[in-house]
Amino acid sequence: MNNVTPLLEVRNLSKNFGPVQALNDLTMHVNPGEVVALAGDNGAGKTTLIKAISGVYRPSAGQVMLKGKEVSFSSPQEARESGIETIYQDLALADNLTIGANIFLGREPMRKAFGFLPVLDRKKMAEAAKSTMALLDFHVNRLDAPVSNFSGGQRQAVAIGRAVYWNAQILIMDEPTAALGVPEQRKVISLIHQLKAQGRGVIFISHNLQDIFAVSDRIVVLRRGVMAGERRIADTTHDEVVKLMVGG
Ligand SMILES: Nc1ncnc2c1ncn2[C@@H]1O[C@H](COP(=O)(O)OP(=O)(O)O)[C@@H](O)[C@H]1O
Ligand SMILES: [Mg+2]
């Protein structure tokens, strides 16, 4: 055991929808520089958990702690402002805009033309796009192209880049590799390694055990809303994880 304060801690978290107990008394944490995989069959409660963390749902019971302090978000916007960024499968990028414009979506930098006329600071946006993507070791040479021109993996990188630019300390990714080809999956996995090396915390939801084993430090398995098991990746196998998922 060490005594690092977790970046994120969830204590006895429950969420019910009427009579449906989607999440029941769940306790878990994410340390700085740690990737924690969240696995479980459909309906296990994975999405409910991340939505209860990221301000989409209010927990029915339990606590969410950020760097040791209890937080209670009433919107995803509030969670984002506290450094928790969630990247869903549908990436919420604006297809017709550049990488820079996507990084600043809703938070556009302005400058004054002729000393008084407020205009979009496109130069700042392009520079941020370039430096952020380079930080992720993801080199795109078409900074003026709309993101619709990029591949699935590159678009995933843009979404991650946006979180990194705004200094998210915790990235929650729901199936980030699901829609990608194999080389692109590798690239996203290597991006997650980068985030880890930068000391960020990652919660990684995936159905792909190979991806989970390639990138995670620990795995939390949910079954019908409860913790079915938690293992260090180094101490478990695909077989054991599948058994935890299906129970029996
Ligand atoms: N908004 C909702 N209203 C009612 N029931 C829900 C809602 N969201 C999820 N559930 C139920 O909660 C359980 C967990 O769902 P979910 O968190 O989406 O699981 P997973 O992401 O692991 O597939 C399921 O039984 C699901 O039907
Ligand atoms: Mg889900």
mmCIF file of all heavy atoms in Angstrom, residues 200-223:
data_model
loop_
_atom_site.group_PDB
_atom_site.id
_atom_site.type_symbol
_atom_site.label_atom_id
_atom_site.label_comp_id
_atom_site.label_asym_id
_atom_site.label_seq_id
_atom_site.Cartn_x
_atom_site.Cartn_y
_atom_site.Cartn_z
ATOM 1 N N ARG A 200 -1.947 11.962 -15.624
ATOM 2 C CA ARG A 200 -3.401 12.056 -15.589
ATOM 3 C C ARG A 200 -3.994 10.708 -15.191
ATOM 4 O O ARG A 200 -3.315 9.683 -15.234
ATOM 5 C CB ARG A 200 -3.928 12.479 -16.963
ATOM 6 C CG ARG A 200 -3.405 13.840 -17.402
ATOM 7 C CD ARG A 200 -3.793 14.143 -18.836
ATOM 8 N NE ARG A 200 -2.806 14.997 -19.467
ATOM 9 C CZ ARG A 200 -2.858 16.329 -19.477
ATOM 10 N NH1 ARG A 200 -3.852 16.957 -18.904
ATOM 11 N NH2 ARG A 200 -1.908 17.034 -20.052
ATOM 12 N N GLY A 201 -5.253 10.727 -14.829
ATOM 13 C CA GLY A 201 -5.949 9.480 -14.532
ATOM 14 C C GLY A 201 -6.925 9.181 -15.644
ATOM 15 O O GLY A 201 -7.518 10.099 -16.223
ATOM 16 N N VAL A 202 -7.054 7.908 -15.978
ATOM 17 C CA VAL A 202 -7.947 7.530 -17.078
ATOM 18 C C VAL A 202 -8.885 6.412 -16.624
ATOM 19 O O VAL A 202 -8.450 5.461 -15.972
ATOM 20 C CB VAL A 202 -7.140 7.045 -18.312
ATOM 21 C CG1 VAL A 202 -8.073 6.603 -19.434
ATOM 22 C CG2 VAL A 202 -6.187 8.133 -18.808
ATOM 23 N N ILE A 203 -10.160 6.578 -16.944
ATOM 24 C CA ILE A 203 -11.110 5.470 -16.818
ATOM 25 C C ILE A 203 -11.467 5.054 -18.235
ATOM 26 O O ILE A 203 -11.898 5.870 -19.047
ATOM 27 C CB ILE A 203 -12.384 5.878 -16.052
ATOM 28 C CG1 ILE A 203 -12.032 6.262 -14.608
ATOM 29 C CG2 ILE A 203 -13.399 4.721 -16.055
ATOM 30 C CD1 ILE A 203 -13.238 6.719 -13.789
ATOM 31 N N PHE A 204 -11.234 3.789 -18.512
ATOM 32 C CA PHE A 204 -11.296 3.285 -19.870
ATOM 33 C C PHE A 204 -12.350 2.188 -19.939
ATOM 34 O O PHE A 204 -12.178 1.123 -19.350
ATOM 35 C CB PHE A 204 -9.894 2.756 -20.205
ATOM 36 C CG PHE A 204 -9.738 2.088 -21.525
ATOM 37 C CD1 PHE A 204 -9.827 2.822 -22.694
ATOM 38 C CD2 PHE A 204 -9.467 0.733 -21.615
ATOM 39 C CE1 PHE A 204 -9.654 2.204 -23.928
ATOM 40 C CE2 PHE A 204 -9.296 0.110 -22.840
ATOM 41 C CZ PHE A 204 -9.382 0.859 -23.995
ATOM 42 N N ILE A 205 -13.453 2.463 -20.620
ATOM 43 C CA ILE A 205 -14.493 1.447 -20.788
ATOM 44 C C ILE A 205 -14.288 0.748 -22.113
ATOM 45 O O ILE A 205 -14.140 1.407 -23.148
ATOM 46 C CB ILE A 205 -15.907 2.080 -20.783
ATOM 47 C CG1 ILE A 205 -16.170 2.759 -19.442
ATOM 48 C CG2 ILE A 205 -16.970 1.018 -21.069
ATOM 49 C CD1 ILE A 205 -17.557 3.362 -19.333
ATOM 50 N N SER A 206 -14.258 -0.563 -22.085
ATOM 51 C CA SER A 206 -14.104 -1.281 -23.339
ATOM 52 C C SER A 206 -14.672 -2.685 -23.242
ATOM 53 O O SER A 206 -14.729 -3.280 -22.167
ATOM 54 C CB SER A 206 -12.625 -1.350 -23.729
ATOM 55 O OG SER A 206 -12.473 -2.069 -24.933
ATOM 56 N N HIS A 207 -15.105 -3.191 -24.396
ATOM 57 C CA HIS A 207 -15.491 -4.588 -24.492
ATOM 58 C C HIS A 207 -14.314 -5.432 -24.952
ATOM 59 O O HIS A 207 -14.387 -6.654 -24.977
ATOM 60 C CB HIS A 207 -16.644 -4.752 -25.500
ATOM 61 C CG HIS A 207 -17.977 -4.444 -24.918
ATOM 62 N ND1 HIS A 207 -18.596 -3.232 -25.108
ATOM 63 C CD2 HIS A 207 -18.784 -5.170 -24.113
ATOM 64 C CE1 HIS A 207 -19.745 -3.240 -24.452
ATOM 65 N NE2 HIS A 207 -19.875 -4.395 -23.836
ATOM 66 N N ASN A 208 -13.250 -4.761 -25.358
ATOM 67 C CA ASN A 208 -12.117 -5.441 -25.955
ATOM 68 C C ASN A 208 -11.048 -5.736 -24.894
ATOM 69 O O ASN A 208 -10.312 -4.854 -24.465
ATOM 70 C CB ASN A 208 -11.551 -4.558 -27.067
ATOM 71 C CG ASN A 208 -10.457 -5.250 -27.849
ATOM 72 O OD1 ASN A 208 -9.708 -6.068 -27.300
ATOM 73 N ND2 ASN A 208 -10.361 -4.935 -29.119
ATOM 74 N N LEU A 209 -10.979 -7.005 -24.487
ATOM 75 C CA LEU A 209 -10.048 -7.360 -23.406
ATOM 76 C C LEU A 209 -8.599 -7.159 -23.816
ATOM 77 O O LEU A 209 -7.752 -6.822 -22.991
ATOM 78 C CB LEU A 209 -10.280 -8.810 -22.958
ATOM 79 C CG LEU A 209 -11.565 -9.054 -22.164
ATOM 80 C CD1 LEU A 209 -11.648 -10.514 -21.719
ATOM 81 C CD2 LEU A 209 -11.657 -8.132 -20.951
ATOM 82 N N GLN A 210 -8.323 -7.328 -25.099
ATOM 83 C CA GLN A 210 -6.952 -7.105 -25.558
ATOM 84 C C GLN A 210 -6.522 -5.660 -25.319
ATOM 85 O O GLN A 210 -5.432 -5.397 -24.841
ATOM 86 C CB GLN A 210 -6.856 -7.425 -27.046
ATOM 87 C CG GLN A 210 -5.817 -8.468 -27.348
ATOM 88 C CD GLN A 210 -6.000 -9.015 -28.749
ATOM 89 O OE1 GLN A 210 -7.130 -9.336 -29.157
ATOM 90 N NE2 GLN A 210 -4.913 -9.096 -29.478
ATOM 91 N N ASP A 211 -7.427 -4.725 -25.663
ATOM 92 C CA ASP A 211 -7.144 -3.309 -25.418
ATOM 93 C C ASP A 211 -6.999 -3.039 -23.924
ATOM 94 O O ASP A 211 -6.102 -2.316 -23.490
ATOM 95 C CB ASP A 211 -8.258 -2.421 -25.977
ATOM 96 C CG ASP A 211 -8.183 -2.282 -27.490
ATOM 97 O OD1 ASP A 211 -7.193 -2.789 -28.080
ATOM 98 O OD2 ASP A 211 -9.103 -1.677 -28.078
ATOM 99 N N ILE A 212 -7.903 -3.611 -23.152
ATOM 100 C CA ILE A 212 -7.848 -3.406 -21.702
ATOM 101 C C ILE A 212 -6.508 -3.883 -21.151
ATOM 102 O O ILE A 212 -5.847 -3.172 -20.383
ATOM 103 C CB ILE A 212 -9.021 -4.140 -21.002
ATOM 104 C CG1 ILE A 212 -10.328 -3.362 -21.250
ATOM 105 C CG2 ILE A 212 -8.762 -4.302 -19.500
ATOM 106 C CD1 ILE A 212 -11.570 -4.022 -20.670
ATOM 107 N N PHE A 213 -6.091 -5.069 -21.568
ATOM 108 C CA PHE A 213 -4.832 -5.598 -21.044
ATOM 109 C C PHE A 213 -3.627 -4.826 -21.569
ATOM 110 O O PHE A 213 -2.586 -4.788 -20.927
ATOM 111 C CB PHE A 213 -4.714 -7.103 -21.341
ATOM 112 C CG PHE A 213 -5.416 -7.956 -20.315
ATOM 113 C CD1 PHE A 213 -6.802 -7.977 -20.236
ATOM 114 C CD2 PHE A 213 -4.694 -8.711 -19.400
ATOM 115 C CE1 PHE A 213 -7.466 -8.740 -19.272
ATOM 116 C CE2 PHE A 213 -5.341 -9.485 -18.425
ATOM 117 C CZ PHE A 213 -6.731 -9.489 -18.370
ATOM 118 N N ALA A 214 -3.767 -4.191 -22.734
ATOM 119 C CA ALA A 214 -2.642 -3.446 -23.306
ATOM 120 C C ALA A 214 -2.410 -2.126 -22.586
ATOM 121 O O ALA A 214 -1.297 -1.599 -22.608
ATOM 122 C CB ALA A 214 -2.893 -3.183 -24.791
ATOM 123 N N VAL A 215 -3.430 -1.594 -21.949
ATOM 124 C CA VAL A 215 -3.293 -0.204 -21.518
ATOM 125 C C VAL A 215 -3.575 0.036 -20.026
ATOM 126 O O VAL A 215 -3.177 1.056 -19.482
ATOM 127 C CB VAL A 215 -4.195 0.703 -22.393
ATOM 128 C CG1 VAL A 215 -5.641 0.663 -21.943
ATOM 129 C CG2 VAL A 215 -3.666 2.118 -22.451
ATOM 130 N N SER A 216 -4.227 -0.916 -19.360
ATOM 131 C CA SER A 216 -4.710 -0.619 -18.005
ATOM 132 C C SER A 216 -3.771 -1.112 -16.915
ATOM 133 O O SER A 216 -3.023 -2.066 -17.092
ATOM 134 C CB SER A 216 -6.085 -1.247 -17.791
ATOM 135 O OG SER A 216 -6.927 -0.940 -18.870
ATOM 136 N N ASP A 217 -3.846 -0.441 -15.787
ATOM 137 C CA ASP A 217 -3.143 -0.900 -14.588
ATOM 138 C C ASP A 217 -4.030 -1.802 -13.749
ATOM 139 O O ASP A 217 -3.569 -2.764 -13.157
ATOM 140 C CB ASP A 217 -2.725 0.302 -13.739
ATOM 141 C CG ASP A 217 -1.802 1.218 -14.496
ATOM 142 O OD1 ASP A 217 -0.648 0.818 -14.725
ATOM 143 O OD2 ASP A 217 -2.236 2.321 -14.893
ATOM 144 N N ARG A 218 -5.304 -1.433 -13.693
ATOM 145 C CA ARG A 218 -6.271 -2.211 -12.916
ATOM 146 C C ARG A 218 -7.542 -2.345 -13.707
ATOM 147 O O ARG A 218 -7.815 -1.558 -14.616
ATOM 148 C CB ARG A 218 -6.604 -1.487 -11.602
ATOM 149 C CG ARG A 218 -5.678 -1.855 -10.454
ATOM 150 C CD ARG A 218 -6.168 -1.275 -9.140
ATOM 151 N NE ARG A 218 -6.209 0.164 -9.157
ATOM 152 C CZ ARG A 218 -7.297 0.889 -8.887
ATOM 153 N NH1 ARG A 218 -8.432 0.316 -8.573
ATOM 154 N NH2 ARG A 218 -7.237 2.204 -8.932
ATOM 155 N N ILE A 219 -8.342 -3.325 -13.326
ATOM 156 C CA ILE A 219 -9.647 -3.480 -13.948
ATOM 157 C C ILE A 219 -10.702 -3.646 -12.861
ATOM 158 O O ILE A 219 -10.480 -4.332 -11.865
ATOM 159 C CB ILE A 219 -9.659 -4.675 -14.937
ATOM 160 C CG1 ILE A 219 -11.034 -4.800 -15.613
ATOM 161 C CG2 ILE A 219 -9.255 -5.995 -14.259
ATOM 162 C CD1 ILE A 219 -11.037 -5.758 -16.796
ATOM 163 N N VAL A 220 -11.800 -2.929 -13.051
ATOM 164 C CA VAL A 220 -12.960 -3.043 -12.173
ATOM 165 C C VAL A 220 -14.063 -3.690 -13.003
ATOM 166 O O VAL A 220 -14.400 -3.191 -14.075
ATOM 167 C CB VAL A 220 -13.390 -1.647 -11.673
ATOM 168 C CG1 VAL A 220 -14.773 -1.694 -11.031
ATOM 169 C CG2 VAL A 220 -12.359 -1.091 -10.692
ATOM 170 N N VAL A 221 -14.576 -4.790 -12.532
ATOM 171 C CA VAL A 221 -15.625 -5.491 -13.267
ATOM 172 C C VAL A 221 -16.968 -5.297 -12.557
ATOM 173 O O VAL A 221 -17.078 -5.550 -11.355
ATOM 174 C CB VAL A 221 -15.318 -7.003 -13.395
ATOM 175 C CG1 VAL A 221 -16.398 -7.699 -14.224
ATOM 176 C CG2 VAL A 221 -13.947 -7.226 -14.009
ATOM 177 N N LEU A 222 -17.936 -4.808 -13.307
ATOM 178 C CA LEU A 222 -19.285 -4.624 -12.765
ATOM 179 C C LEU A 222 -20.192 -5.747 -13.249
ATOM 180 O O LEU A 222 -20.044 -6.236 -14.379
ATOM 181 C CB LEU A 222 -19.877 -3.289 -13.234
ATOM 182 C CG LEU A 222 -19.159 -2.008 -12.844
ATOM 183 C CD1 LEU A 222 -19.950 -0.803 -13.343
ATOM 184 C CD2 LEU A 222 -18.971 -1.933 -11.351
ATOM 185 N N ARG A 223 -21.105 -6.124 -12.383
ATOM 186 C CA ARG A 223 -22.143 -7.069 -12.796
ATOM 187 C C ARG A 223 -23.436 -6.667 -12.107
ATOM 188 O O ARG A 223 -23.496 -6.589 -10.893
ATOM 189 C CB ARG A 223 -21.744 -8.501 -12.426
ATOM 190 C CG ARG A 223 -22.676 -9.539 -13.032
ATOM 191 C CD ARG A 223 -22.114 -10.950 -12.924
ATOM 192 N NE ARG A 223 -22.083 -11.420 -11.556
ATOM 193 C CZ ARG A 223 -21.004 -11.842 -10.904
ATOM 194 N NH1 ARG A 223 -19.819 -11.840 -11.508
ATOM 195 N NH2 ARG A 223 -21.082 -12.253 -9.677
#
